[in-house]
Amino acid sequence: MPSLIQMPDVVMTEILAKLDLPDVQSLRKTCWDLRNIIDDLKPDPRVLRSVIIVDTDFVDWKLNFDNGYYIYPEGKFIRLQYNKVENGCQVVWYRSDGRREKFLENRDYLEVFCEDFKVNMTFQQSEMENFIINFEYFKFVHEKFLEIESQLMPRLQSILSGRNPLKTINFSMVVFKMSSILKILPYLDARTIKRITITDSKQGPVPDIGKWRIDELMELAHWKNAEELDIIDVFVEDVPVERFLGFKRIYIFVEEVNMEQVLEWKE
């Protein structure tokens, strides 16, 4: 009986298609021959939802592979947390049979997360329902978030730009800088995007919320193809009404609306 490394590609492809993502990654680490075979065959992990939550000292990554919420291995929901700890990074894998922890000495938690993101999402070809990135911003640590954003977003941009556009129906970002969105959205497949949701994570009271110019966002094909748009907790500056006419539904904050604009919106 042939071993796995001797299997024809068509047979190996069928085997990999029946395995969950953790099983494929475990198999990939078995030996260099299997790693090379898997990397050549590029099995689709079939992620349905990817949620990335960024805080000052951890990244929480949640992956759904079906519509259930039972955690792996009981279900198909995977949650990984990358913690900044003294002298390194602690990776926690939350499981139904008990959490697993691993300490990586002298490793940066953002770097470790990005490595895992690249390994696990490089072969994603199927269409996701949701791709979400959420910065858990707090004003009193603004400088810290600036530092994190400057390290994390270029890495994610580099990963996404090095593969085929990632397919998702819904894209959502909770961020404190418009430029962060432009590091991600252009590398998602504009043909599959149906809804774009952008939230200013500073979330001040209405009199204190900021203003964003969205000129570059409006030039993307994603803006032209999406059907729904939400821009929340931030004022949109100087955008003619006609730039929104392609959407079926919009939710935005504007600081002032004159009567002429009201009539345009009504039409």
Side-chain angles (χ1 to χ4, degrees):
M1 181 176 179
S3 66
L4 279 177
I5 60 175
Q6 297 171 321
M7 291 286 183
D9 285 354
V10 64
V11 176
M12 194 63 180
T13 298
E14 287 296 316
I15 293 172
L16 294 173
K18 296 182 182 300
L19 299 178
D20 292 327
L21 177 61
D23 302 322
V24 173
Q25 292 304 328
S26 295
L27 190 61
R28 188 173 176 270
K29 295 175 183 177
T30 303
C31 68
W32 279 105
D33 285 335
L34 278 174
R35 178 173 182 157
N36 291 332
I37 289 170
I38 290 170
D39 287 353
D40 287 341
L41 294 177
K42 300 177 173 58
D44 186 348
R46 304 181 300 279
V47 176
L48 195 63
R49 283 182 293 276
S50 171
V51 181
I52 301 166
I53 299 173
V54 184
D55 210 314
T56 53
D57 54 4
F58 71 83
V59 174
D60 198 82
W61 190 21
K62 300 174 182 177
L63 295 163
N64 285 81
F65 297 84
D66 60 17
N67 289 313
Y69 287 92
Y70 290 104
I71 202 162
Y72 184 88
E74 182 179 349
K76 292 184 177 292
F77 170 53
I78 292 176
R79 181 187 173 195
L80 298 164
Q81 192 169 87
Y82 303 81
N83 298 308
K84 179 181 180 180
V85 296
E86 187 176 359
N87 300 321
C89 169
Q90 178 200 46
V91 181
V92 181
W93 183 8
Y94 294 92
R95 299 167 52 104
S96 59
D97 56 358
R99 57 190 271 171
R100 310 283 174 84
E101 298 182 6
K102 185 175 183 179
F103 174 70
L104 302 173
E105 188 175 7
N106 298 323
R107 295 298 308 278
D108 174 69
Y109 74 110
L110 295 176
E111 182 181 7
V112 174
F113 161 71
C114 287
E115 288 175 357
D116 281 1
F117 180 83
K118 182 176 181 179
V119 167
N120 291 306
M121 297 299 288
T122 292
F123 301 148
Q124 175 76 19
Q125 297 299 327
S126 53
E127 184 179 87
M128 294 190 294
E129 286 186 2
N130 295 285
F131 183 53
I132 299 168
I133 301 176
N134 183 353
F135 276 84
E136 293 287 314
Y137 177 87
F138 296 99
K139 189 174 182 179
F140 63 89
V141 284
H142 177 73
E143 295 301 322
K144 182 62 177 176
F145 270 103
L146 284 177
E147 179 185 348
I148 293 169
E149 193 273 347
S150 69
Q151 295 177 30
L152 177 61
M153 300 314 293
R155 287 171 175 164
L156 291 179
Q157 181 184 30
S158 176
I159 294 167
L160 292 172
S161 66
R163 50 152 294 147
N164 293 331
L166 194 62
K167 298 175 183 178
T168 184
I169 298 172
N170 301 299
F171 169 65
S172 175
M173 280 192 77
V174 180
V175 290
F176 57 96
K177 293 172 62 180
M178 183 68 203
S179 59
S180 298
I181 297 159
L182 297 172
K183 287 184 173 68
I184 301 297
L185 185 55
Y187 305 104
L188 306 184
D189 196 326
R191 298 169 299 179
T192 63
I193 290 277
K194 298 300 180 187
R195 181 176 180 179
I196 299 171
T197 303
I198 301 167
T199 304
D200 184 354
S201 58
K202 293 190 291 296
Q203 296 179 337
V206 171
D208 299 324
I209 67 175
K211 298 178 183 179
W212 282 355
R213 295 198 64 88
I214 59 172
D215 307 68
E216 293 182 72
L217 178 63
M218 292 188 295
E219 295 305 314
L220 298 177
H222 309 71
W223 180 275
K224 301 175 178 65
N225 292 345
E227 298 176 355
E228 300 184 36
L229 174 71
D230 297 89
I231 303 179
I232 303 168
D233 289 335
V234 64
F235 288 126
V236 174
E237 281 195 72
D238 304 326
V239 181
V241 171
E242 57 266 22
R243 297 305 299 267
F244 294 99
L245 296 182
F247 295 100
K248 293 181 179 179
R249 186 193 65 80
I250 63 169
Y251 179 89
I252 60 172
F253 283 49
V254 292
E255 196 167 16
E256 294 180 354
V257 179
N258 58 42
M259 183 55 67
E260 182 180 349
Q261 289 173 316
V262 170
L263 294 174
E264 286 185 273
W265 285 115
K266 185 177 179 181
E267 291 178 8

